[in-house]
Amino acid sequence: MEVGVRVLRAMATGQRAMMLKDIAAAAGMAPSKAHRYLVSLIRSGLVEQDPANARYDLGPFALSMGLVALDRLDRIRLGQNTIAQLRDEVNETTALAVWGGDGPVIVRWERPRRPITVNVTTGTTGTTGTTLDLLSSGTGLVFAAWLPQQATAALLAREMTSERLPEALRSKQAVNALLERIRSQGYATTASYHYVPGVAGAAAPVFNVKNEISMALLTVGVQGMFDCSEDGAVVHALKRHARQLSERLGATLYAGEPISAVYPDLSLPG
């Protein structure tokens, strides 16, 4: 069974119909051995072969299993587990946010084990809880960076008129440049111009099977005690957990890159 799964994994990560030699190379086995497993996988419906070009691809039963698995996914439950693991790793307040129509809403959070902490308010989308602004929170910036423009244009335009916003972010050109930088680095941070004095935070996107932003992971702490640097342990752990949760939700891309290539040291097993 484990060897057969190696063949299936090689085909799944190939992202296209493949020749026998390519499947064998990706699975790390001789072509003759790979062929024997492919014959059995075809009989089970997990693999099919195109008679026109002899290429192999995932079969109808593999598709059926994938759809059933996706239907059974509870993204909030998975996200809850992820922020608990992230909290244990970085010992900072961690939270999970979803898009609520008028902005991101925090739906789950975990308290760190330290004497001074930052608490957050939770709610449910469309009802209660604090809706975060787009330009004054790392979470908002993440959604602004990856949501379609039509979902955020009106909100951004309204926020850019606020006198509480730094002058440097009151133009469309400046905001677009900031969002492009966030998409490039794969996360967003806020510190010096956060609406809540003394609080710093970082957020990273979580993508679904359509490679669309589904949620955001965030971690917040006390400014001066919270490391927002790109090479710091907090940001590294945040991005890693967001990538892994995206993979769990069926995403094949993370921030525009193949999901197994985002962190070479964390490539998919097998």
Side-chain angles (χ1 to χ4, degrees):
M1 185 70 178
E2 291 176 350
V3 177
V5 169
R6 282 172 56 192
V7 174
L8 290 172
R9 187 185 296 277
M11 298 179 66
T13 56
Q15 300 182 357
R16 67 186 189 282
M18 302 172 68
M19 298 294 293
L20 172 61
K21 63 177 182 178
D22 298 322
I23 296 173
M29 62 180 67
S32 58
K33 181 178 180 180
H35 182 262
R36 291 197 298 271
Y37 280 93
L38 286 168
V39 170
S40 295
L41 292 169
I42 289 173
R43 290 172 180 166
S44 68
L46 287 167
V47 172
E48 60 185 6
Q49 185 180 26
D50 187 340
N53 56 26
R55 292 179 179 270
Y56 297 88
D57 207 346
L58 297 177
F61 187 45
L63 174 62
S64 178
M65 284 200 304
L67 292 174
V68 169
L70 285 173
D71 186 59
R72 293 178 181 176
L73 277 179
D74 182 343
R75 64 171 181 158
I76 302 300
R77 177 181 59 82
L78 293 174
Q80 175 76 62
N81 294 338
T82 298
I83 62 172
Q85 294 169 5
L86 178 60
R87 182 274 318 274
D88 291 343
E89 184 171 342
V90 302
N91 197 25
E92 299 285 1
T93 299
T94 60
L96 183 72
V98 300
W99 184 251
D102 291 328
V105 177
I106 295 174
V107 293
R108 296 288 189 276
W109 73 288
E110 293 287 337
R111 183 193 302 271
R113 298 176 180 87
R114 57 167 63 223
I116 301 177
T117 66
V118 176
N119 295 343
V120 296
T121 302
T122 61
T124 56
T125 56
T127 55
T128 61
T130 302
T131 299
L132 302 174
D133 288 331
L134 297 183
L135 296 176
S136 64
S137 68
T139 305
L141 288 168
V142 160
F143 278 101
W146 276 282
L147 278 175
Q149 286 188 347
Q150 59 268 29
T152 60
L155 295 173
L156 288 172
R158 184 178 64 199
E159 288 186 27
M160 282 190 288
T161 64
S162 172
E163 294 182 356
R164 301 171 66 187
L165 198 68
E167 187 68 34
L169 284 180
R170 295 186 195 176
S171 73
K172 186 175 181 179
Q173 182 179 7
V175 169
N176 286 340
L178 173 61
L179 298 182
E180 181 60 35
R181 185 166 69 251
I182 290 169
R183 283 189 288 267
S184 175
Q185 65 190 19
Y187 71 99
T189 60
T190 50
S192 58
Y193 61 86
H194 199 285
Y195 278 12
V196 182
V199 174
V206 175
F207 300 97
N208 59 23
V209 68
K210 297 180 180 179
N211 296 317
E212 299 169 342
I213 186 170
S214 174
M215 301 180 288
L217 299 184
L218 61 141
T219 178
V220 294
V222 178
Q223 190 173 352
M225 300 171 60
F226 184 89
D227 183 5
C228 289
S229 64
E230 182 176 4
D231 297 328
V234 172
V235 169
H236 181 77
L238 174 70
K239 293 174 65 177
R240 172 163 43 82
H241 281 281
R243 196 278 301 181
Q244 291 172 339
L245 180 56
S246 297
E247 182 183 351
R248 184 69 180 86
L249 293 176
T252 57
L253 299 176
Y254 190 85
E257 297 291 336
I259 206 162
S260 60
V262 175
Y263 298 102
D265 56 319
L266 294 171
S267 57
L268 298 179

